[in-house]
Amino acid sequence: MAQMSMIEAIRSALDVKLSQDPDVLIFGEDVGYFGGVFRCTAGLQEKHGLHRVFDAPIAEGGIVGAAVGMAAFGLRPCIEIQFADYIYPGYDQICSEAARMRYRSAGEFTSPLTIRTPVGGGIHGGQTHSQSPEALFTHIAGLKTIIPSNPYDAKGLLIKAIEDNDPVLFLEPKRLYNGPFDGDPNKPAVSWAGHELGEVPEGHYTVDFEQARVLTQGDDLTILCYGTMVWVAEASAKAAGVNADILDLRSLMPLDLEAIVKSVNKTGRCLVLHEATRTSGFGAELIAEVQQHCFYALEAPIVRVTGWDTPYPHALEWEYFPGQKRTIEAIRKIMES
Amino acid sequence: MAQMSMIEAIRSALDVKLSQDPDVLIFGEDVGYFGGVFRCTAGLQEKHGLHRVFDAPIAEGGIVGAAVGMAAFGLRPCIEIQFADYIYPGYDQICSEAARMRYRSAGEFTSPLTIRTPVGGGIHGGQTHSQSPEALFTHIAGLKTIIPSNPYDAKGLLIKAIEDNDPVLFLEPKRLYNGPFDGDPNKPAVSWAGHELGEVPEGHYTVDFEQARVLTQGDDLTILCYGTMVWVAEASAKAAGVNADILDLRSLMPLDLEAIVKSVNKTGRCLVLHEATRTSGFGAELIAEVQQHCFYALEAPIVRVTGWDTPYPHALEWEYFPGQKRTIEAIRKIMES
Amino acid sequence: MSSRQNTHGQNQSKLFVPEPPFRPGDTPDFSHIKIPTEHSPGRPDPMVDAYDTEPQATGLVRVLKLDGTICGEWNPKLDADTLRAGLRHMLLTRCVDERMFTMQRQGKMSFYMKSAGEEAVAVATAMALRQSDMVFPTYRQQGILMARGWPLKELMCQCLSNAGDKLEGRSIPVLYSVRELGFFSISGNLGTQMIQAVGWGMACAYRGSDDIAVAFTGEGATAEGDFHYALNFASTYKAPVILNVVNNQWAISSFQGIAAGQGKSFAFRGLGFGLASLRVDGNDFLAVYAATKWAAERARNGGGATVIEHFTYRKEGHSTSDDPTKYRPKSEPDVWPFGDPIERLAGHLISLGEWDEARHEALLKQLKAEVRESYKEAESLGTLASPSKINPATMFEEVFEEIPSHLRRQRQELGI
Amino acid sequence: MSSRQNTHGQNQSKLFVPEPPFRPGDTPDFSHIKIPTEHSPGRPDPMVDAYDTEPQATGLVRVLKLDGTICGEWNPKLDADTLRAGLRHMLLTRCVDERMFTMQRQGKMSFYMKSAGEEAVAVATAMALRQSDMVFPTYRQQGILMARGWPLKELMCQCLSNAGDKLEGRSIPVLYSVRELGFFSISGNLGTQMIQAVGWGMACAYRGSDDIAVAFTGEGATAEGDFHYALNFASTYKAPVILNVVNNQWAISSFQGIAAGQGKSFAFRGLGFGLASLRVDGNDFLAVYAATKWAAERARNGGGATVIEHFTYRKEGHSTSDDPTKYRPKSEPDVWPFGDPIERLAGHLISLGEWDEARHEALLKQLKAEVRESYKEAESLGTLASPSKINPATMFEEVFEEIPSHLRRQRQELGI
Ligand SMILES: Cc1ncc(C[n+]2csc(CCOP(=O)(O)OP(=O)(O)O)c2C)c(N)n1
Ligand SMILES: Cc1ncc(C[n+]2csc(CCOP(=O)(O)OP(=O)(O)O)c2C)c(N)n1
Ligand SMILES: [Mg+2]
Ligand SMILES: [Mg+2]
């Protein structure tokens, strides 16, 4: 076991796969010599060679499109989009091509590629370095969407993603790269060092998709969350003094509906959290499924605490971010109804 | 009053605005001399001039991007994307640019542009001529998303869209272009001729956004629908022998939540219909809001009948399409619980 | 600028909008197009500096003159059997197109697209390549499938979306996928295959293979971003690819000038990225063959990508969905000055004494019979009009490698 | 190909990946770059056939030699006052950059981006245009705002996201929007402004105005599809625009060869679309000015778009977020052979007898004081570190023209 930050865990996953499988290669903007603007690929070019880890032109559509071709050929490209906010020029290649290749060719051509990209706010990135676009991908048939909340999961899920024979969108909550974050920007930053979930095996291991992680167990309510909001959920439940089933979903598509339904049928109350804008966010999908499968168990309306339906503002970042205050209020409201 | 098909109604709206406002111009693939692959702009170039209605290169990103520049300048471009399935290369310009221009420039630059594009299946278009991507736009702050179900609304809403000072995505259910469609492909096609909603004033009028249209009123259940599914809803409710409040939402963003809540609070039961893939579809958003605002009135889980989470298949189009059979089953299930 | 531009202006607009030379009602006259007969640009060494291909990128690489004789440096010196094979593949392509078009009109399938006038582009390219070179076609290179010998019945079953369609009726007609013949799954989304082909080519290089990737786009779709990505990535990574632009003058109803703008040629766009670029008479089987061989040799030897513009003409409508006389003169295809690729190759073979009218007629008759036979077999497996024999359960398959739980639930909901 | 390419290969990869000539640890040596001193390509008539600009697209348009003297046909013959104004704007730009960078390091703002070494591109372009010509900048053309006289305090308040920021603190620093000065709202998304500028230019033409649109992109971002759309639409509709490519050799850590590939110049990409194209010494104030004047004249007279590549060098890091010595030699900026645009223009003025060291020092002192004063004023309205005085209710405004009901509900949820 080593102690790793989420960045180091991601890098370790990439290193493991580059070492094991000659068909794995990495490219993206600034990922080569420099090692990526968040350093996730630092040292990998030097170790594995220029032709396996290299810089790409600033063309997200080109990066995805080239990866689709390589993946169809039989390689396993793992590409980086520098910020999820910049993934849209590649949206067509992801949705119309990667996601549908297997279907339209009846399995003749497939897209075993992984797209890594940082998501979420909390680093004063403003509207173009803070977005959480997961719902724009969960709506697309043929894509898997994964989002870890800690180093251990990040490495295991990323290795799983690279080994998966379908296209995987791997979202990295950038506010968690260097440490957990409970939503309070005024507290000193915490690092992963010493954190249980920062203990990461050096070698190969995987974490399965479609398996929510149960953080805490309780009978009061169920909190469904993922990414940065997992830490906000934990701190808020504590502060609100409730015993919550907190589920870190990790894999949005495929979704661990079984665990969700089991929990809500037990607690009868449900809170859904995400950083993304509310309308048509992934929370809506969670609510739709929960109310369908747990209708008769529900004792209160399901509440969602999310980013507002506005771009992510720079100066008012903490008014936008769905932090502890709003989460605690929501918990209280649910418990009172 | 004239009798118009939905195509003619759309053309009439464009004609009215071209005639009234010199800042309105139209461009897109094949919309000029030819008048569009669905004929919505037929005759408009000849009438209004080459510089007001013209062909564009096959570059949806370029079409939207150029329109963003024109709109910021002060024109009111109304562009056509030939099929919604091909809108993705323009997704970045729509979401990152048009939708955020006003916000990021604090109102210095705005995006009064309209994007018309045909959606939905039922014409044997397969996976690349049948998609309903509305949820990919309702998640984006700063965009309005409109979808008419008949000629009268189409014209009034389109004029409203062109006059709106925000970017509007105007989705045209192509299966309804020439007549209403109740979901049964084996019946002979019906035309708009003689249909009440095919009676369309020649001149200028508008239909407001954020106003659902109530098709039928009833106490048994509420059916929320839009586009082609409005006609399926009506036929299915009839066939199932229920008295339903059928709401044709027309405007998804902004949404007439008031009408929805009022109806479900009355009926206590709710069915949500759309053609789009289910997961993270707009139905999820409707359910999230309904369960929040009508929780204590609800007597049964809200059910959604939608397209499957697969690409839209060609040969199995009618197994994919959420037609009367599935809708009636859902109604029965809701009424029984 | 035509009268439309001036007479209907309601403001002082200075906006320029290009228009085709002729519209319905006009008498098309292409005498302004100079047909360079003897003056094909020369054939440089395939490893030439890309910028030295400027004459080839702006001129027109030709071998076959309109009179059937041969000129210039590009003659690929094919033997008569090969030429006859090419002729056969082109004729077969046209016969299949005719038949399928008619069958669409009879309601047997939802849609069809012909390649009439452009058969040389697909067939000669295919014949100049190895089968292990992956082609990334659009919907108008069915000639490749003829050249590579795909059973007609398979093609027809795909179009009929019937029980014999190995793609399970999932796609509209003509969006074939034939991996074993090096034919990439055709996308309905224009342009996307261009950058995918570059990725495939990069993968070939990465694996140390000397296979190449060969992509096709219509001239209209060069306006998409994916074409730009393809040129850029091909240039950056010296990818072993051929990027073909089939300039058939029309993109549905839009003439080539909407995509070309003020550009001299589509091939020249390649030069902008330092890629070798050739503009080729696409109705000249020999020129297409020779250019492809040249570019393939360059790519295999590490010289990187070549852009080839095939200058040709779409003789028929865009698809079964449009009527071309609505936007261009009815006679335009007939007066197009570069002739018909099939007639030109036949004429050449005749001038060599290797072919004659009688053999041509006989071949045509044989091919038609072959097509008729295959179609009969295919139709016996169903048409779109007949109740589909495709199992609805297949709809939920191959969305992912394994059917995930939510799709299993949905399948159950459908009752299967 | 460097050693990295060969030594680490674990398979027989033939994939080519370009690398910059120098990395940290190397001694940069640019003696291979030939500086064409006397040999600037000539100045054709602005209405010249676009293809005749090939010498300008591949050569390097220059006016100022490194010794401060002038040569060639492009001399814009500016009077000394104008030259001094240009010098002042460039110096001011650099002073502002210095100050803001330091303040960012002190935690007063989240982010900053300098334009050191590239001031001539922005300032000379702005001075060669009308204020009614809309510029579509990236984040590295703050020099335009100096030239057009935007109050420094306004700029600083935007960076500080404080109560004085007229953009309500919504965007990260440097994403200005100043419509009244013809400065388009800067996007965080690279490249998007290029095609928008073409749309704006088309709108100018549509309205019959002879104003033009002028866009900027870094060389790295030319790889985006929006650049392609811009070239294509500009070519198709002969849009009155100037499309500037600022080739400052670096895109964060990627050298220009990642975007350029085998291409000779970025200007040449314009030629691919039949657009007039110029490659200009971007560190030469006079050349940038002259080229912009030329292109503006062409555009206003209906000649359509021009692509101008400004060959320059990013002397500092990409932004406050990176350390350039991690990916290029520390000394590279110092040995870059085209000098510094400020020193070169000052040297020219001195050689004309219109400037001297003492005046230069005095000006610098004065500008620094001006910057200091403005900054003090701006800071008094708050910094990112101080509690924000921006009303949270503004967060829900201007998403739409009117606040829709769902946003009103969300605002209430926030308790305001
Ligand atoms: C991304 C995208 N946009 C639009 C379309 C609709 N469309 C299909 S074919 C076509 C014209 C293509 O013209 P061209 O590229 O010249 O090819 P050709 O049909 O002439 O072979 C259009 C606009 C599409 N399929 N995909
Ligand atoms: C669409 C998009 N992709 C990626 C980024 C991240 N990014 C910001 S600046 C930059 C480098 C740009 O380089 P260049 O275009 O050469 O401009 P320069 O910084 O040199 O002025 C990158 C990759 C972005 N802002 N937008
Ligand atoms: Mg074409
Ligand atoms: Mg740069």
Side-chain angles (χ1 to χ4, degrees):
Chain A
M1 281 295 186
Q3 272 291 332
M4 296 189 198
S5 72
M6 195 141 132
I7 290 171
E8 289 160 343
I10 288 164
R11 191 187 301 146
S12 174
L14 298 172
D15 188 24
V16 165
K17 289 313 301 175
L18 284 164
S19 303
Q20 283 185 343
D21 184 351
D23 286 338
V24 171
L25 79 175
I26 292 174
F27 60 106
E29 296 158 19
D30 300 295
V31 303
Y33 187 92
F34 185 51
V37 295
F38 288 105
R39 329 294 306 127
C40 289
T41 58
L44 296 178
Q45 180 180 85
E46 200 179 6
K47 179 166 174 190
H48 298 281
L50 185 62
H51 64 291
R52 300 198 62 198
V53 183
F54 54 86
D55 290 338
I58 302 173
E60 292 76 12
I63 293 169
V64 179
V68 170
M70 291 174 181
F73 178 93
L75 304 183
R76 290 189 179 276
C78 177
I79 57 181
E80 178 178 306
I81 301 295
Q82 203 163 80
F83 287 89
D85 315 64
Y86 304 136
I87 204 166
Y88 307 119
Y91 197 63
D92 186 46
Q93 284 282 351
I94 297 172
C95 300
S96 307
E97 300 294 320
R100 305 230 207 95
M101 193 61 79
R102 180 190 295 279
Y103 197 76
R104 79 178 201 220
S105 71
E108 281 195 350
F109 297 94
T110 59
S111 294
L113 61 90
T114 303
I115 304 175
R116 294 178 39 247
T117 191
V119 296
I123 62 152
H124 271 306
Q127 50 133 343
T128 56
H129 301 85
S130 306
Q131 291 166 40
S132 296
E134 63 275 8
L136 304 175
F137 296 97
T138 53
H139 189 46
I140 305 299
L143 275 185
K144 296 182 179 171
T145 301
I146 303 299
I147 177 164
S149 70
N150 61 73
Y152 181 87
D153 283 353
K155 178 169 174 182
L157 289 166
L158 181 52
I159 291 179
K160 184 86 186 163
I162 295 174
E163 294 175 352
D164 198 281
N165 288 327
D166 289 309
V168 180
L169 194 76
F170 190 83
L171 305 175
E172 303 173 358
K174 64 177 91 68
R175 178 69 211 216
L176 302 180
Y177 270 150
N178 291 307
F181 174 64
D182 70 4
D184 184 347
N186 300 315
K187 280 199 215 149
V190 186
S191 96
W192 286 111
H195 197 288
E196 187 190 1
L197 290 164
E199 279 174 33
V200 177
E202 297 276 6
H204 179 281
Y205 69 94
T206 59
V207 170
D208 277 349
F209 294 171
E210 203 172 337
Q211 293 287 338
R213 178 174 70 94
V214 182
L215 258 83
T216 62
Q217 288 193 302
D219 292 328
D220 293 344
L221 86 164
T222 302
I223 304 183
L224 303 178
C225 52
Y226 48 91
T228 308
M229 294 307 292
V230 167
W231 302 96
V232 177
E234 197 182 28
S236 302
K238 210 169 174 187
V242 291
N243 292 317
D245 260 12
I246 303 184
L247 269 61
D248 175 357
L249 301 175
R250 302 195 288 201
S251 162
L252 308 187
M253 171 60 70
L255 181 70
D256 187 355
L257 187 62
E258 211 180 302
I260 294 170
V261 170
K262 209 173 113 197
S263 171
V264 180
N265 276 338
K266 177 184 71 172
T267 63
R269 294 182 149 83
C270 182
L271 171 65
V272 170
L273 303 180
H274 60 65
E275 244 189 288
T277 50
R278 177 174 303 173
T279 301
S280 287
F282 192 68
E285 176 60 28
L286 291 172
I287 292 173
E289 290 289 299
V290 169
Q291 73 81 33
Q292 183 193 335
H293 294 281
C294 311
F295 185 80
Y296 298 101
L298 276 174
E299 290 171 37
I302 308 161
V303 174
R304 41 184 175 170
V305 173
T306 67
W308 307 120
D309 282 348
T310 76
Y312 215 123
H314 178 247
L316 298 170
E317 172 153 45
W318 301 113
E319 280 72 20
Y320 183 94
F321 185 86
Q324 284 190 42
K325 185 165 168 290
R326 285 162 56 200
T327 308
I328 293 168
E329 268 170 29
I331 292 174
R332 298 230 165 97
K333 187 173 145 196
I334 293 173
M335 294 314 298
E336 280 160 18
S337 41
Chain B
M1 281 297 187
Q3 273 290 334
M4 298 189 196
S5 71
M6 194 140 135
I7 290 170
E8 289 160 342
I10 288 164
R11 191 188 301 145
S12 174
L14 297 172
D15 188 23
V16 165
K17 288 313 300 174
L18 283 166
S19 303
Q20 284 186 341
D21 184 351
D23 287 337
V24 171
L25 78 176
I26 292 175
F27 60 105
E29 296 157 19
D30 300 296
V31 302
Y33 186 91
F34 185 51
V37 296
F38 288 105
R39 329 293 309 126
C40 290
T41 57
L44 297 178
Q45 179 179 86
E46 201 181 2
K47 178 165 176 192
H48 298 281
L50 185 62
H51 63 293
R52 299 198 64 197
V53 182
F54 54 87
D55 289 339
I58 303 174
E60 293 75 12
I63 292 169
V64 179
V68 169
M70 291 174 182
F73 178 94
L75 304 183
R76 291 189 178 276
C78 178
I79 57 180
E80 177 178 308
I81 301 295
Q82 203 163 81
F83 287 89
D85 315 65
Y86 304 137
I87 204 167
Y88 307 119
Y91 197 64
D92 187 45
Q93 284 283 351
I94 297 172
C95 301
S96 307
E97 300 293 320
R100 305 229 207 96
M101 192 61 79
R102 182 190 293 279
Y103 197 77
R104 78 179 201 219
S105 71
E108 281 193 350
F109 298 94
T110 59
S111 294
L113 62 90
T114 304
I115 304 174
R116 293 179 40 246
T117 190
V119 296
I123 61 152
H124 270 309
Q127 50 135 344
T128 57
H129 302 86
S130 307
Q131 292 167 40
S132 296
E134 63 274 8
L136 304 175
F137 296 96
T138 53
H139 189 45
I140 305 300
L143 276 186
K144 295 182 179 170
T145 301
I146 304 298
I147 177 165
S149 70
N150 60 73
Y152 181 88
D153 284 353
K155 179 168 173 184
L157 289 166
L158 181 52
I159 291 180
K160 183 85 186 160
I162 295 174
E163 294 175 353
D164 198 283
N165 288 326
D166 290 308
V168 180
L169 196 77
F170 190 85
L171 306 175
E172 302 172 359
K174 64 177 92 67
R175 177 68 211 218
L176 302 180
Y177 270 149
N178 292 308
F181 174 65
D182 71 3
D184 184 347
N186 299 317
K187 281 199 213 148
V190 185
S191 96
W192 286 111
H195 198 288
E196 184 190 4
L197 289 165
E199 281 172 32
V200 178
E202 297 276 6
H204 179 280
Y205 69 95
T206 59
V207 170
D208 278 348
F209 294 171
E210 202 172 339
Q211 294 287 339
R213 178 173 71 94
V214 182
L215 257 83
T216 63
Q217 287 192 304
D219 291 328
D220 293 345
L221 86 164
T222 301
I223 305 183
L224 303 179
C225 52
Y226 49 89
T228 308
M229 295 307 292
V230 168
W231 301 96
V232 177
E234 196 182 29
S236 302
K238 208 167 174 189
V242 290
N243 292 317
D245 260 11
I246 302 184
L247 269 60
D248 175 357
L249 300 175
R250 302 194 289 198
S251 160
L252 307 187
M253 171 59 71
L255 182 69
D256 188 355
L257 187 62
E258 214 181 299
I260 295 170
V261 170
K262 210 174 111 194
S263 171
V264 180
N265 276 339
K266 176 183 74 172
T267 62
R269 294 182 148 82
C270 182
L271 171 65
V272 170
L273 303 179
H274 60 65
E275 244 190 288
T277 50
R278 177 173 304 173
T279 299
S280 287
F282 191 69
E285 176 61 27
L286 292 171
I287 292 174
E289 290 289 301
V290 168
Q291 72 83 33
Q292 184 193 334
H293 294 281
C294 312
F295 185 79
Y296 299 100
L298 278 173
E299 291 170 38
I302 309 161
V303 174
R304 41 184 175 170
V305 173
T306 67
W308 307 119
D309 282 348
T310 76
Y312 215 123
H314 178 248
L316 298 169
E317 173 153 44
W318 301 113
E319 280 72 20
Y320 182 94
F321 184 85
Q324 285 190 42
K325 183 164 171 291
R326 285 160 58 199
T327 308
I328 293 168
E329 270 171 28
I331 292 173
R332 298 229 164 98
K333 187 172 144 196
I334 292 173
M335 294 314 299
E336 281 160 18
S337 40
Chain C
M1 243 180 270
S2 89
S3 57
R4 274 183 298 280
Q5 188 111 17
N6 300 318
T7 48
H8 296 284
Q10 286 164 359
N11 60 21
Q12 294 306 305
S13 175
K14 300 192 287 185
L15 181 65
F16 172 80
V17 178
E19 285 195 283
F22 314 111
R23 286 292 196 191
D26 297 334
T27 305
D29 172 2
F30 292 104
S31 54
H32 64 285
I33 297 189
K34 279 177 205 47
I35 302 175
T37 41
E38 308 285 348
H39 301 294
S40 170
R43 183 183 184 280
D45 184 275
M47 296 305 280
V48 69
D49 181 288
Y51 286 100
D52 290 338
T53 61
E54 188 169 328
Q56 287 76 23
T58 53
L60 195 68
V61 170
R62 300 184 87 213
V63 176
L64 265 181
K65 292 201 279 184
L66 291 178
D67 64 7
T69 63
I70 268 181
C71 70
E73 298 176 7
W74 286 86
N75 182 3
K77 307 212 172 87
L78 299 176
D79 61 36
D81 281 344
T82 306
L83 294 176
R84 277 188 294 259
L87 183 66
R88 185 184 200 289
H89 299 322
M90 291 199 286
L91 259 180
L92 179 58
T93 306
R94 195 164 291 183
C95 290
V96 169
D97 280 357
E98 284 298 336
R99 180 86 194 172
M100 300 306 275
F101 194 90
T102 310
M103 294 301 105
Q104 195 278 342
R105 287 287 183 253
Q106 293 184 12
K108 307 288 188 179
M109 62 192 91
S110 61
F111 178 78
Y112 192 74
M113 300 181 96
K114 290 181 168 185
S115 63
E118 305 172 39
E119 293 91 345
V121 174
V123 170
T125 300
M127 290 177 70
L129 296 173
R130 303 179 185 161
Q131 191 150 312
S132 52
D133 297 329
M134 182 62 69
V135 297
F136 288 72
T138 77
Y139 42 72
R140 233 183 277 284
Q141 282 82 49
Q142 50 265 56
I144 295 170
L145 293 169
M146 310 298 154
R148 287 187 171 175
W150 202 36
L152 296 184
K153 190 183 136 194
E154 298 251 2
L155 178 151
M156 291 164 169
C157 285
Q158 195 283 331
C159 291
L160 291 163
S161 276
N162 67 15
D165 174 13
K166 66 171 182 151
L167 303 184
E168 312 278 16
R170 289 197 185 123
S171 287
I172 54 168
V174 318
L175 299 188
Y176 315 111
S177 176
V178 197
R179 184 165 190 146
E180 77 270 21
L181 295 182
F183 190 95
F184 195 73
S185 162
I186 301 175
S187 177
N189 301 59
L190 292 172
T192 51
Q193 73 282 3
M194 302 307 287
I195 176 66
Q196 292 167 6
V198 175
W200 186 285
M202 289 171 70
C204 291
Y206 178 84
R207 280 268 188 85
S209 149
D210 66 354
D211 287 337
I212 69 173
V214 179
F216 292 83
T217 174
E219 90 294 342
T222 60
E224 292 287 2
D226 292 301
F227 181 67
H228 180 68
Y229 306 142
L231 295 177
N232 203 148
F233 280 60
S235 178
T236 297
Y237 304 110
K238 289 193 184 175
V241 296
I242 303 176
L243 301 172
N244 291 295
V245 177
V246 185
N247 178 2
N248 63 3
Q249 313 302 322
W250 291 94
I252 310 186
S253 73
S254 301
F255 85 118
Q256 56 83 30
I258 296 292
Q262 314 304 314
K264 250 192 237 189
S265 80
F266 288 95
F268 208 90
R269 300 219 167 141
L271 272 191
F273 288 81
L275 299 177
S277 301
L278 311 173
R279 186 159 170 273
V280 175
D281 179 350
N283 290 7
D284 175 345
F285 180 91
L286 294 174
V288 173
Y289 186 98
T292 305
K293 271 275 180 220
W294 185 94
E297 186 179 333
R298 181 176 175 88
R300 289 190 221 287
N301 289 336
T306 299
V307 175
I308 304 181
E309 173 182 352
H310 300 272
F311 194 75
T312 180
Y313 188 86
R314 196 196 77 204
K315 290 180 84 162
E316 308 249 358
H318 171 71
S319 72
T320 45
S321 305
D322 69 318
D323 171 3
T325 66
K326 287 272 171 347
Y327 49 79
R328 72 183 188 193
K330 200 173 154 48
S331 63
E332 197 179 279
D334 307 320
V335 300
W336 183 248
F338 289 87
D340 180 280
I342 295 179
E343 286 167 25
R344 282 175 65 189
L345 184 58
H348 174 56
L349 272 163
I350 290 170
S351 80
L352 293 178
E354 295 282 358
W355 198 243
D356 56 44
E357 286 293 338
R359 285 165 82 178
H360 198 83
E361 281 314 306
L363 175 61
L364 194 59
K365 212 172 137 188
Q366 180 207 325
L367 294 175
K368 279 186 180 165
E370 210 175 282
V371 168
R372 206 180 315 114
E373 274 318 298
S374 299
Y375 184 78
K376 230 188 267 169
E377 270 185 73
E379 213 195 83
S380 73
L381 296 172
T383 75
L384 199 67
S386 59
S388 176
K389 292 198 184 99
I390 295 171
N391 181 350
T394 60
M395 181 164 58
F396 300 97
E397 290 165 10
E398 287 163 328
V399 179
F400 296 99
E401 186 179 30
E402 284 164 24
I403 303 186
S405 54
H406 73 287
L407 282 180
R408 261 181 280 128
R409 285 194 300 276
Q410 293 185 14
R411 193 179 59 190
Q412 282 158 15
E413 216 178 300
L414 184 58
I416 50 176
Chain D
M1 243 181 271
S2 89
S3 57
R4 272 183 299 279
Q5 189 111 18
N6 299 318
T7 49
H8 297 283
Q10 286 166 358
N11 60 21
Q12 295 304 306
S13 175
K14 299 192 287 183
L15 181 65
F16 171 80
V17 178
E19 285 195 283
F22 314 111
R23 285 294 196 191
D26 296 336
T27 304
D29 172 3
F30 292 104
S31 53
H32 65 285
I33 296 191
K34 278 178 207 46
I35 302 176
T37 42
E38 308 286 348
H39 302 295
S40 170
R43 182 182 184 282
D45 184 274
M47 296 304 282
V48 68
D49 181 288
Y51 286 99
D52 290 338
T53 61
E54 187 167 331
Q56 287 75 23
T58 51
L60 195 67
V61 170
R62 300 184 87 212
V63 176
L64 266 181
K65 293 202 278 184
L66 290 178
D67 64 8
T69 63
I70 268 179
C71 68
E73 297 176 8
W74 287 87
N75 183 1
K77 306 213 173 92
L78 299 177
D79 60 37
D81 280 345
T82 305
L83 293 176
R84 276 186 296 259
L87 184 65
R88 187 184 197 287
H89 299 323
M90 291 200 286
L91 259 180
L92 179 59
T93 306
R94 195 165 291 182
C95 289
V96 169
D97 280 357
E98 285 297 337
R99 180 86 193 174
M100 299 305 275
F101 193 90
T102 310
M103 293 302 103
Q104 194 278 343
R105 287 287 182 253
Q106 292 183 14
K108 307 289 188 178
M109 61 191 92
S110 62
F111 178 78
Y112 192 73
M113 300 182 96
K114 290 181 169 186
S115 63
E118 303 173 39
E119 293 91 345
V121 174
V123 170
T125 299
M127 290 177 70
L129 296 173
R130 302 179 187 163
Q131 191 151 310
S132 52
D133 297 329
M134 183 62 68
V135 298
F136 288 73
T138 77
Y139 43 73
R140 232 183 277 285
Q141 283 82 47
Q142 51 265 58
I144 294 171
L145 293 169
M146 310 298 153
R148 288 188 169 174
W150 202 35
L152 296 184
K153 191 183 134 192
E154 297 252 3
L155 177 151
M156 290 164 170
C157 286
Q158 195 283 331
C159 290
L160 291 163
S161 274
N162 66 16
D165 174 12
K166 66 169 183 153
L167 303 184
E168 312 277 17
R170 288 195 186 127
S171 286
I172 55 168
V174 318
L175 298 189
Y176 315 112
S177 176
V178 197
R179 186 167 188 144
E180 77 270 20
L181 296 181
F183 191 95
F184 195 74
S185 163
I186 302 175
S187 177
N189 301 59
L190 291 172
T192 51
Q193 73 282 4
M194 302 308 287
I195 176 66
Q196 292 167 6
V198 174
W200 186 285
M202 289 170 71
C204 292
Y206 179 82
R207 281 268 189 85
S209 148
D210 66 352
D211 286 336
I212 68 173
V214 179
F216 293 84
T217 174
E219 91 294 343
T222 60
E224 292 287 3
D226 292 300
F227 181 67
H228 181 68
Y229 307 142
L231 295 177
N232 203 149
F233 280 60
S235 177
T236 297
Y237 303 110
K238 288 195 184 174
V241 296
I242 304 176
L243 301 171
N244 291 295
V245 177
V246 184
N247 177 2
N248 64 3
Q249 313 302 321
W250 291 93
I252 308 185
S253 74
S254 301
F255 86 119
Q256 57 79 31
I258 296 292
Q262 315 304 314
K264 250 192 234 185
S265 81
F266 288 94
F268 208 89
R269 299 216 168 145
L271 273 190
F273 288 82
L275 299 177
S277 301
L278 312 173
R279 186 160 169 272
V280 175
D281 178 351
N283 290 8
D284 175 344
F285 180 92
L286 294 173
V288 172
Y289 186 98
T292 305
K293 272 276 180 221
W294 186 93
E297 187 180 333
R298 181 176 176 88
R300 289 192 219 287
N301 290 336
T306 299
V307 175
I308 305 181
E309 172 182 353
H310 300 273
F311 194 75
T312 180
Y313 188 85
R314 195 195 78 205
K315 290 179 84 162
E316 308 250 358
H318 172 71
S319 73
T320 45
S321 304
D322 69 318
D323 170 2
T325 65
K326 287 272 172 348
Y327 49 80
R328 72 184 188 192
K330 198 172 156 48
S331 63
E332 198 179 276
D334 307 320
V335 302
W336 182 248
F338 289 85
D340 180 279
I342 295 181
E343 286 167 24
R344 282 176 64 191
L345 183 58
H348 174 55
L349 272 164
I350 290 170
S351 81
L352 293 177
E354 295 282 358
W355 199 241
D356 57 44
E357 286 292 338
R359 286 166 80 178
H360 198 83
E361 281 314 307
L363 174 62
L364 194 58
K365 216 174 133 189
Q366 180 208 324
L367 294 175
K368 278 187 180 163
E370 210 175 282
V371 168
R372 207 181 313 114
E373 272 320 297
S374 299
Y375 183 76
K376 232 190 264 169
E377 269 186 74
E379 214 196 83
S380 73
L381 296 172
T383 74
L384 198 69
S386 59
S388 175
K389 291 198 186 98
I390 295 172
N391 180 351
T394 60
M395 182 163 59
F396 300 96
E397 290 165 9
E398 287 163 328
V399 178
F400 295 100
E401 186 179 32
E402 284 163 26
I403 303 185
S405 55
H406 72 286
L407 283 179
R408 261 182 279 129
R409 285 194 299 277
Q410 293 186 14
R411 193 178 60 189
Q412 281 158 16
E413 216 179 300
L414 184 58
I416 49 176

